[in-house]
Amino acid sequence: GIKKVKVTNLITEGVIEAENVEEIEMPILFNELRKVFCNLAVPYTLKKITFTGGETLPANYCKNIDALTTVVLPDSLTAIGASAFNSCYNLKNVTFGNSLTTINESAFYACYRIKELNFPASLKVIDSYAFMYCNAIERVVIPENVTTINNDAFNICPSIKEVYNLSNLDIVARTSLFGRVAENVYYVYTSLDEENKIFFEGDYVFV
C-alpha cells in the first residue's frame, strides 16, 4: 500500500483512501483532520503530518491520533487551536513555524513523549493547560515576545529541569505562577547563557 500521501487541495470531504498511510503532507483542510480521509477516519498507521499551509489549526484538529509521532507546522500558521493535539500520546517531535503567536487551551494536553519545545520568537500566548501532563518535557525556553502564560499551562510536567526566560515576564522558580512552568526547578535562566540565573530564595538551596 501507499505509505506517503501528498495533498495540495481538496474541496470534498472524505476522498483520500489511506488505509496504511504513515505520512501525509497537506495544507490545513476542513475543520478536522479525519474529514480528509475515506470513512472520515484517520488511518491508525499515521505517524507524521507535514502541514504546508494555513493560518489557524482548528480546535481538536488532530486530537487522539495514537500513532502520531511527528508534526511539522507551516510558517503561515499563527494559532494552534484548543485541544488540537490533545491526547496524542506518542507525539514526540513538533516543529513550530516562525509566525506562530498563540497556543490555545489544552493544545498539547497529555502529549506524554514531547521532550523539547523549540518555540519561535513570534510566540506571544501560551494558554491554560496547553502542555499539561506533558511528562517528558525537560527544557523550556520562553521566547522574548511572550506576554501571557495562563493557568496550569505546564502543570504536571515533572521532568522540566531547565527553564530559560527570555521574556519580560517575572518568572520565579518554585512557584505556581506563569502556568507552573518553573514549579519544579530551583532557578530560572534569564538568557541562554547559563551564567544568568534567578535563584529560588528558600530552604535547601545551595548556591
PDB file of all heavy atoms in Angstrom, residues 37-55:
ATOM      1  N   PHE A  37     -10.070  11.999   5.043  1.00  0.00           N
ATOM      2  CA  PHE A  37      -9.976  10.579   4.702  1.00  0.00           C
ATOM      3  C   PHE A  37     -11.330   9.918   4.463  1.00  0.00           C
ATOM      4  O   PHE A  37     -12.355  10.335   5.005  1.00  0.00           O
ATOM      5  CB  PHE A  37      -9.250   9.831   5.830  1.00  0.00           C
ATOM      6  CG  PHE A  37      -7.846  10.308   6.063  1.00  0.00           C
ATOM      7  CD1 PHE A  37      -7.555  11.150   7.127  1.00  0.00           C
ATOM      8  CD2 PHE A  37      -6.821   9.934   5.208  1.00  0.00           C
ATOM      9  CE1 PHE A  37      -6.266  11.597   7.336  1.00  0.00           C
ATOM     10  CE2 PHE A  37      -5.522  10.378   5.417  1.00  0.00           C
ATOM     11  CZ  PHE A  37      -5.239  11.218   6.483  1.00  0.00           C
ATOM     12  N   CYS A  38     -11.279   8.838   3.687  1.00  0.00           N
ATOM     13  CA  CYS A  38     -12.460   7.997   3.483  1.00  0.00           C
ATOM     14  C   CYS A  38     -12.987   7.522   4.836  1.00  0.00           C
ATOM     15  O   CYS A  38     -12.208   7.290   5.768  1.00  0.00           O
ATOM     16  CB  CYS A  38     -12.103   6.761   2.647  1.00  0.00           C
ATOM     17  SG  CYS A  38     -11.871   7.148   0.929  1.00  0.00           S
ATOM     18  N   ASN A  39     -14.260   7.330   4.915  1.00  0.00           N
ATOM     19  CA  ASN A  39     -14.924   6.891   6.154  1.00  0.00           C
ATOM     20  C   ASN A  39     -14.743   7.901   7.287  1.00  0.00           C
ATOM     21  O   ASN A  39     -15.058   7.614   8.439  1.00  0.00           O
ATOM     22  CB  ASN A  39     -14.407   5.526   6.633  1.00  0.00           C
ATOM     23  CG  ASN A  39     -14.491   4.487   5.537  1.00  0.00           C
ATOM     24  OD1 ASN A  39     -15.467   4.478   4.775  1.00  0.00           O
ATOM     25  ND2 ASN A  39     -13.486   3.638   5.434  1.00  0.00           N
ATOM     26  N   LEU A  40     -14.199   9.084   6.944  1.00  0.00           N
ATOM     27  CA  LEU A  40     -13.982  10.142   7.932  1.00  0.00           C
ATOM     28  C   LEU A  40     -13.239   9.631   9.163  1.00  0.00           C
ATOM     29  O   LEU A  40     -13.558   9.967  10.300  1.00  0.00           O
ATOM     30  CB  LEU A  40     -15.322  10.782   8.340  1.00  0.00           C
ATOM     31  CG  LEU A  40     -16.129  11.370   7.174  1.00  0.00           C
ATOM     32  CD1 LEU A  40     -17.391  12.049   7.686  1.00  0.00           C
ATOM     33  CD2 LEU A  40     -15.309  12.368   6.370  1.00  0.00           C
ATOM     34  N   ALA A  41     -12.238   8.797   8.891  1.00  0.00           N
ATOM     35  CA  ALA A  41     -11.427   8.244   9.986  1.00  0.00           C
ATOM     36  C   ALA A  41      -9.951   8.386   9.642  1.00  0.00           C
ATOM     37  O   ALA A  41      -9.531   8.061   8.526  1.00  0.00           O
ATOM     38  CB  ALA A  41     -11.765   6.780  10.206  1.00  0.00           C
ATOM     39  N   VAL A  42      -9.179   8.878  10.595  1.00  0.00           N
ATOM     40  CA  VAL A  42      -7.727   8.981  10.396  1.00  0.00           C
ATOM     41  C   VAL A  42      -7.150   7.568  10.424  1.00  0.00           C
ATOM     42  O   VAL A  42      -7.467   6.783  11.325  1.00  0.00           O
ATOM     43  CB  VAL A  42      -7.093   9.825  11.521  1.00  0.00           C
ATOM     44  CG1 VAL A  42      -5.571   9.839  11.391  1.00  0.00           C
ATOM     45  CG2 VAL A  42      -7.645  11.251  11.490  1.00  0.00           C
ATOM     46  N   PRO A  43      -6.297   7.214   9.449  1.00  0.00           N
ATOM     47  CA  PRO A  43      -5.709   5.870   9.479  1.00  0.00           C
ATOM     48  C   PRO A  43      -4.904   5.650  10.759  1.00  0.00           C
ATOM     49  O   PRO A  43      -4.170   6.533  11.185  1.00  0.00           O
ATOM     50  CB  PRO A  43      -4.821   5.831   8.235  1.00  0.00           C
ATOM     51  CG  PRO A  43      -4.683   7.233   7.771  1.00  0.00           C
ATOM     52  CD  PRO A  43      -5.847   7.999   8.292  1.00  0.00           C
ATOM     53  N   TYR A  44      -5.077   4.502  11.351  1.00  0.00           N
ATOM     54  CA  TYR A  44      -4.426   4.225  12.636  1.00  0.00           C
ATOM     55  C   TYR A  44      -2.909   4.110  12.501  1.00  0.00           C
ATOM     56  O   TYR A  44      -2.190   4.049  13.493  1.00  0.00           O
ATOM     57  CB  TYR A  44      -5.000   2.955  13.272  1.00  0.00           C
ATOM     58  CG  TYR A  44      -4.673   1.694  12.539  1.00  0.00           C
ATOM     59  CD1 TYR A  44      -3.517   0.964  12.848  1.00  0.00           C
ATOM     60  CD2 TYR A  44      -5.495   1.211  11.518  1.00  0.00           C
ATOM     61  CE1 TYR A  44      -3.194  -0.192  12.160  1.00  0.00           C
ATOM     62  CE2 TYR A  44      -5.174   0.060  10.826  1.00  0.00           C
ATOM     63  CZ  TYR A  44      -4.026  -0.636  11.146  1.00  0.00           C
ATOM     64  OH  TYR A  44      -3.702  -1.776  10.459  1.00  0.00           O
ATOM     65  N   THR A  45      -2.416   4.086  11.259  1.00  0.00           N
ATOM     66  CA  THR A  45      -0.977   3.969  10.991  1.00  0.00           C
ATOM     67  C   THR A  45      -0.275   5.327  10.880  1.00  0.00           C
ATOM     68  O   THR A  45       0.947   5.370  10.759  1.00  0.00           O
ATOM     69  CB  THR A  45      -0.774   3.229   9.669  1.00  0.00           C
ATOM     70  OG1 THR A  45      -1.626   3.838   8.675  1.00  0.00           O
ATOM     71  CG2 THR A  45      -1.129   1.758   9.787  1.00  0.00           C
ATOM     72  N   LEU A  46      -1.041   6.428  10.906  1.00  0.00           N
ATOM     73  CA  LEU A  46      -0.468   7.749  10.586  1.00  0.00           C
ATOM     74  C   LEU A  46       0.530   8.209  11.637  1.00  0.00           C
ATOM     75  O   LEU A  46       0.183   8.420  12.794  1.00  0.00           O
ATOM     76  CB  LEU A  46      -1.585   8.790  10.440  1.00  0.00           C
ATOM     77  CG  LEU A  46      -1.129  10.163   9.943  1.00  0.00           C
ATOM     78  CD1 LEU A  46      -0.588  10.075   8.523  1.00  0.00           C
ATOM     79  CD2 LEU A  46      -2.271  11.176  10.017  1.00  0.00           C
ATOM     80  N   LYS A  47       1.804   8.397  11.198  1.00  0.00           N
ATOM     81  CA  LYS A  47       2.876   8.769  12.127  1.00  0.00           C
ATOM     82  C   LYS A  47       3.362  10.201  11.965  1.00  0.00           C
ATOM     83  O   LYS A  47       3.856  10.800  12.906  1.00  0.00           O
ATOM     84  CB  LYS A  47       4.087   7.844  11.921  1.00  0.00           C
ATOM     85  CG  LYS A  47       3.833   6.409  12.329  1.00  0.00           C
ATOM     86  CD  LYS A  47       5.071   5.568  12.056  1.00  0.00           C
ATOM     87  CE  LYS A  47       4.820   4.116  12.430  1.00  0.00           C
ATOM     88  NZ  LYS A  47       5.935   3.252  12.012  1.00  0.00           N
ATOM     89  N   LYS A  48       3.257  10.724  10.748  1.00  0.00           N
ATOM     90  CA  LYS A  48       3.825  12.046  10.503  1.00  0.00           C
ATOM     91  C   LYS A  48       2.891  12.900   9.661  1.00  0.00           C
ATOM     92  O   LYS A  48       2.342  12.431   8.666  1.00  0.00           O
ATOM     93  CB  LYS A  48       5.186  11.931   9.794  1.00  0.00           C
ATOM     94  CG  LYS A  48       5.840  13.284   9.525  1.00  0.00           C
ATOM     95  CD  LYS A  48       7.223  13.152   8.888  1.00  0.00           C
ATOM     96  CE  LYS A  48       7.831  14.534   8.661  1.00  0.00           C
ATOM     97  NZ  LYS A  48       9.170  14.463   8.030  1.00  0.00           N
ATOM     98  N   ILE A  49       2.733  14.167  10.082  1.00  0.00           N
ATOM     99  CA  ILE A  49       1.965  15.134   9.302  1.00  0.00           C
ATOM    100  C   ILE A  49       2.841  16.355   9.067  1.00  0.00           C
ATOM    101  O   ILE A  49       3.382  16.931  10.014  1.00  0.00           O
ATOM    102  CB  ILE A  49       0.689  15.598  10.031  1.00  0.00           C
ATOM    103  CG1 ILE A  49      -0.165  14.409  10.471  1.00  0.00           C
ATOM    104  CG2 ILE A  49      -0.127  16.522   9.133  1.00  0.00           C
ATOM    105  CD1 ILE A  49      -1.305  14.797  11.401  1.00  0.00           C
ATOM    106  N   THR A  50       2.975  16.746   7.803  1.00  0.00           N
ATOM    107  CA  THR A  50       3.641  17.998   7.457  1.00  0.00           C
ATOM    108  C   THR A  50       2.593  18.922   6.870  1.00  0.00           C
ATOM    109  O   THR A  50       2.037  18.652   5.803  1.00  0.00           O
ATOM    110  CB  THR A  50       4.769  17.763   6.428  1.00  0.00           C
ATOM    111  OG1 THR A  50       5.712  16.842   6.986  1.00  0.00           O
ATOM    112  CG2 THR A  50       5.478  19.069   6.095  1.00  0.00           C
ATOM    113  N   PHE A  51       2.291  19.978   7.596  1.00  0.00           N
ATOM    114  CA  PHE A  51       1.314  20.951   7.099  1.00  0.00           C
ATOM    115  C   PHE A  51       2.030  21.979   6.239  1.00  0.00           C
ATOM    116  O   PHE A  51       3.045  22.552   6.650  1.00  0.00           O
ATOM    117  CB  PHE A  51       0.607  21.643   8.262  1.00  0.00           C
ATOM    118  CG  PHE A  51      -0.342  20.757   9.019  1.00  0.00           C
ATOM    119  CD1 PHE A  51      -0.012  20.282  10.283  1.00  0.00           C
ATOM    120  CD2 PHE A  51      -1.564  20.382   8.474  1.00  0.00           C
ATOM    121  CE1 PHE A  51      -0.883  19.459  10.989  1.00  0.00           C
ATOM    122  CE2 PHE A  51      -2.438  19.560   9.171  1.00  0.00           C
ATOM    123  CZ  PHE A  51      -2.097  19.100  10.432  1.00  0.00           C
ATOM    124  N   THR A  52       1.502  22.207   5.043  1.00  0.00           N
ATOM    125  CA  THR A  52       2.177  23.078   4.082  1.00  0.00           C
ATOM    126  C   THR A  52       1.548  24.457   3.983  1.00  0.00           C
ATOM    127  O   THR A  52       2.077  25.336   3.306  1.00  0.00           O
ATOM    128  CB  THR A  52       2.146  22.426   2.688  1.00  0.00           C
ATOM    129  OG1 THR A  52       0.783  22.103   2.367  1.00  0.00           O
ATOM    130  CG2 THR A  52       2.981  21.164   2.660  1.00  0.00           C
ATOM    131  N   GLY A  53       0.426  24.674   4.660  1.00  0.00           N
ATOM    132  CA  GLY A  53      -0.221  25.986   4.605  1.00  0.00           C
ATOM    133  C   GLY A  53      -1.400  26.054   5.545  1.00  0.00           C
ATOM    134  O   GLY A  53      -1.852  25.041   6.087  1.00  0.00           O
ATOM    135  N   GLY A  54      -1.874  27.283   5.742  1.00  0.00           N
ATOM    136  CA  GLY A  54      -2.995  27.525   6.653  1.00  0.00           C
ATOM    137  C   GLY A  54      -2.574  28.447   7.775  1.00  0.00           C
ATOM    138  O   GLY A  54      -1.429  28.400   8.229  1.00  0.00           O
ATOM    139  N   GLU A  55      -3.501  29.310   8.223  1.00  0.00           N
ATOM    140  CA  GLU A  55      -3.171  30.291   9.257  1.00  0.00           C
ATOM    141  C   GLU A  55      -3.578  29.849  10.650  1.00  0.00           C
ATOM    142  O   GLU A  55      -2.979  30.266  11.640  1.00  0.00           O
ATOM    143  CB  GLU A  55      -3.820  31.635   8.930  1.00  0.00           C
ATOM    144  CG  GLU A  55      -3.178  32.312   7.740  1.00  0.00           C
ATOM    145  CD  GLU A  55      -3.750  33.690   7.463  1.00  0.00           C
ATOM    146  OE1 GLU A  55      -4.462  34.229   8.340  1.00  0.00           O
ATOM    147  OE2 GLU A  55      -3.514  34.201   6.365  1.00  0.00           O
TER     148      GLU A  55
END
